[in-house]
Structure formats: C-alpha cells, structure tokens
C-alpha cells in the first residue's frame, strides 16, 4: 500500500459501538478481567494495556502509523520531541560512551549532548554537516556508540548524506540516529537509507496545526525495546489526547506536505531573485550548496526557507513590523506561516563561536512556510523586504 493509504487506513480496532472515527481513550489505567489476567499482562505472556504510562490504544495507533510511514519495525511515542531525542540517547548510551553529532543541531539537542550527557561521562565530537566521509570517519573512536544528526538541520538547512553514514555504520557498528522532523516520513525515510532510528518532534508537521506537543522514535526492534524500558520506568509518555490529535493529523500529512513544499519552493525562488535579499536558502533551490544531495535524498525540499537580510537586528525588526500575514513565533511546521529570528530566540543561548559555525547571523530569518495562498505570501514578503530596506536606509541617512 502507498503511504497515503497507510496513514488513513491504519486504525485502532473498532469497539462494540462500531464507531467510524477512533474514540479517545482518556483513561489512565485498564481493568483486568481476573487475577490471572493481571498476572499474565505483567508477566507479558498476554499482550494488552495495563496503564497509560506504558501503553494506550490512541498512542499505539499513532505509533503504528508512523512505523508504517517510516518502514520501521517498532516505535515509542513521547510527550515532546525533546523527550524522544533524550530517551533515544539516555536509553542506549552509558558512561564511557562517545557520540558523534552533526554540529548543526536544534538548540535543546545541543544542550542535552553538551550539558546533560556530559555529566554522566558521555563524551561527544561535533562534525560539520557538509564534512567529507573521511572527516566523519576521523571523528569516530572505538568508544563511539551513536551518530546523531538532523537532516535538513534547524535553522541552517544543512544536509547530511545518510547513505555515506550508513556505509560507515557497517564498518564501525555505531547506532545511526536521525532527527527526521524537518523532512517528515513523506519526504525522506532514513531507515530505508540505513539509519537505525528516526526521531521526530511530532509537534511540527505531524500535528501541522500548532495544537499539541508530541514526539516519537521508530526503528530497530531491539533498540526500541531498550527505549521502551527506559520510557516505561521514567515516564515521558504521550497523552492519549495528543496521540488522538496526531494520529488524525497523519491522515492529511501527505496532502499538507505537498502544498507546504510547493509554497516553500515558490517563495524561496521569489526571495532568491529579490535584490534586497542577501541570500535565500532552500534545499531544492539549485543555489543550495547541497542541492544534488537534497535531490537524491528527499522527494521535495520541505517547508522551511531561510533568508539573510542586510542591516542586522534593526532590519529584522522593520521586516517583522511590515509583514501582515505571518505570525511571529518560535514554532514551525504549522498551517500558518511563521517567521523567527533564530539569533535572538531559538538559538539565542549559543555562544558567539557556536552561532558563527552554524551561520546564525543577526539578519537570519527562518520562515516556516504555511498553507496560505502562495500569491498572498509572495506579495506580503516582497513588500516587507522592500519596506524594511527603506526603513534601514532612512535610519542610516
Ligand atoms: C529538529 C527538531 N528536533 C526536535 C525538536 C524538539 O521538539 P519539541 O519541541 O516537540 O520537544 C525541535 C523543535 O522544537 C526541532 O526543530
């Protein structure tokens, strides 16, 4: 079956009420028909729900759908994307292990690696996204247990060649753990390219309408079982309500991504061609430094466009003031277009040299392109680019 059909037709078993749409199982626990059944469920000789920290029908449905979309053996859902990222590391790494990570990481993933895992004697080495195979290989040590990365990255839209890392994985035996949040399983399936785990902030495109938080890790059954043990006993569980929302949203993920990507490409082209925009970055623009890799690894460029405006924060302020449609928010992956200045918000806590290494400049703007009519978006962004250029010129004069 095609992904569209799987996302729509994978469903929790119907109850005796014969409902068409899956009901919300808003229950913290489940009853046992007998003492024997309680014993069997805890001994795991019988499969079934016990307590919603361990499993819940809505959560299971959401996990089953993502596994189908990612071609993964098993999965575990969590309350947020960061809980998924953290659980995938904390469950599988131990003191003395080493993690090789791509330098271009979401801010909180960077904090987990540098400030939290380090307290438990887990060391790390950062590698640039565009590093060659030899440079990635040079970072691997005998104690390297995991390679972790995002592709495309937030907010610099740098790509990592997954097939190349899968080759190194075969040689060195590390766990290849990929944050697939920006691409979604619709545009890229890391497991098909050799990754062991694919993690998501479901808060983003999986929900797609900015309503609920959620996260998920899917991949190799033996690894997911260890993450499940960790999650069962530490409790970062996804709520049934959020799982219900997310599972329903997956039914339209393919449709939404098609429009998101079409809008993003057209907006990127318009901004790239504008003389008052220093730089527009989008994986499917031929000017993107990793355009060939993007074409090989992804079926479309995603819905994030980053632009660089001259004039620093003053220009950003004038630009944001002039925009009439987009929302100013630090979130992304919404039906509503959102703009963010990473330097002063999502990546504000990075040190100056860390920002420089990631290309996070004062005039960088991340655009999460929504589902509005593209004509309206292009017109609004164009007038704001021009108006803000004028405002900054007047300030200088
Ligand atoms: C690439 C990426 N990974 C992980 C996260 C964390 O997700 P959450 O906010 O759901 O914890 C985010 C954003 O917040 C993100 O952009």
């Amino acid at each position: 079956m095609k992904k569209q059909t799987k996302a729509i037709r994978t469903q929790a078993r119907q109850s005796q009420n014969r409902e068409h749409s899956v009901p919300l199982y808003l229950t913290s626990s489940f009853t046992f028909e007998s003492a024997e059944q309680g014993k069997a469920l805890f001994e795991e000789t019988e499969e079934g729900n016990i307590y919603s920290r361990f499993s819940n029908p809505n959560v299971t449905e959401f996990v089953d759908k993502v596994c189908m979309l990612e071609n993964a053996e098993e999965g575990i859902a969590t309350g947020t994307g960061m809980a998924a990222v953290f659980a995938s590391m904390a469950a599988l790494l131990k003191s003395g292990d080493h993690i090789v990570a791509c330098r271009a990481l979401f801010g909180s993933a960077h904090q987990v690696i540098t400030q939290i895992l380090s307290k438990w004697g887990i060391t790390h080495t950062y590698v640039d996204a565009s590093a060659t195979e030899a440079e990635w290989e040079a970072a691997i040590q005998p104690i390297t247990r995991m390679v972790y990365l995002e592709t495309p990255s937030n907010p610099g839209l740098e790509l990592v060649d997954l097939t190349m890392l899968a080759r190194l994985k075969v040689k060195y035996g590390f766990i290849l753990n990929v944050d697939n949040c920006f691409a979604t399983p619709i545009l890229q399936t890391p497991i098909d390219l050799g990754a062991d785990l694919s993690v998501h902030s479901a808060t983003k495109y999986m929900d797609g309408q900015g309503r609920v938080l959620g996260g998920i890790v899917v991949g190799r059954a033996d690894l997911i079982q260890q993450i499940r043990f960790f999650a069962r006993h530490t409790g970062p569980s996804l709520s049934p309500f959020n799982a219900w929302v997310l599972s329903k949203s997956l039914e339209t993920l393919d449709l939404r991504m098609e429009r998101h990507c079409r809008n993003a490409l057209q907006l990127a082209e318009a901004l790239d061609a504008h003389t008052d925009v220093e730089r527009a970055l989008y994986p499917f623009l031929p000017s993107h430094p990793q355009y060939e890799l993007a074409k090989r690894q992804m079926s479309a460029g995603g819905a994030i466009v980053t632009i660089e405006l001259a004039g620093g924060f003053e220009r950003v302020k004038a630009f944001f003031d002039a925009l009439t449609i987009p929302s100013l928010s630090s979130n992304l992956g919404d039906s509503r277009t959102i703009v963010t200045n990473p330097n002063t918000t999502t990546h504000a806590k990075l040190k100056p040299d860390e920002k420089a290494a990631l290309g996070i400049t004062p005039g960088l703007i991340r655009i999460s392109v929504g589902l509005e009519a593209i004509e309206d978006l292009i017109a609004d962004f164009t007038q704001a680019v021009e108006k803000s250029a004028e405002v900054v010129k007047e300030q200088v004069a």
Side-chain angles (χ1 to χ4, degrees), residues 74-77 84-85 87-88 177 197-200 215-219 224 227:
E74 287 189 26
I76 163 115
V85 171
S88 74
N177 188 0
L197 297 172
S198 178
V199 301
H200 287 271
I216 187 160
V217 195
V218 299
I224 296 294
I227 302 170

Side-chain angles (χ1 to χ4, degrees), residues 16-38:
Q16 72 278 16
N17 294 319
R18 294 175 291 101
E19 69 281 345
H20 190 207
S21 178
V22 174
L24 179 51
Y25 288 91
L26 213 47
T27 175
S28 41
S29 70
F30 300 83
T31 55
F32 311 130
E33 280 162 10
S34 62
E36 283 84 6
Q37 190 187 37

Side-chain angles (χ1 to χ4, degrees), residues 80-83 85 106 150 154 179 181-182 201 203-204 213-214 332:
T80 66
M82 278 320 302
V85 171
F106 174 61
E150 293 167 24
N154 179 8
D179 183 328
C181 170
F182 270 34
S201 166
T203 315
K204 307 297 178 317
L213 295 166
L332 59 92

Side-chain angles (χ1 to χ4, degrees), residues 66-75 191-192 198 218-220:
V66 179
C67 286
M68 295 275 256
L69 294 175
E70 289 269 15
N71 293 326
E73 290 171 0
E74 287 189 26
I191 288 162
D192 290 339
S198 178
V218 299
R220 251 172 59 193

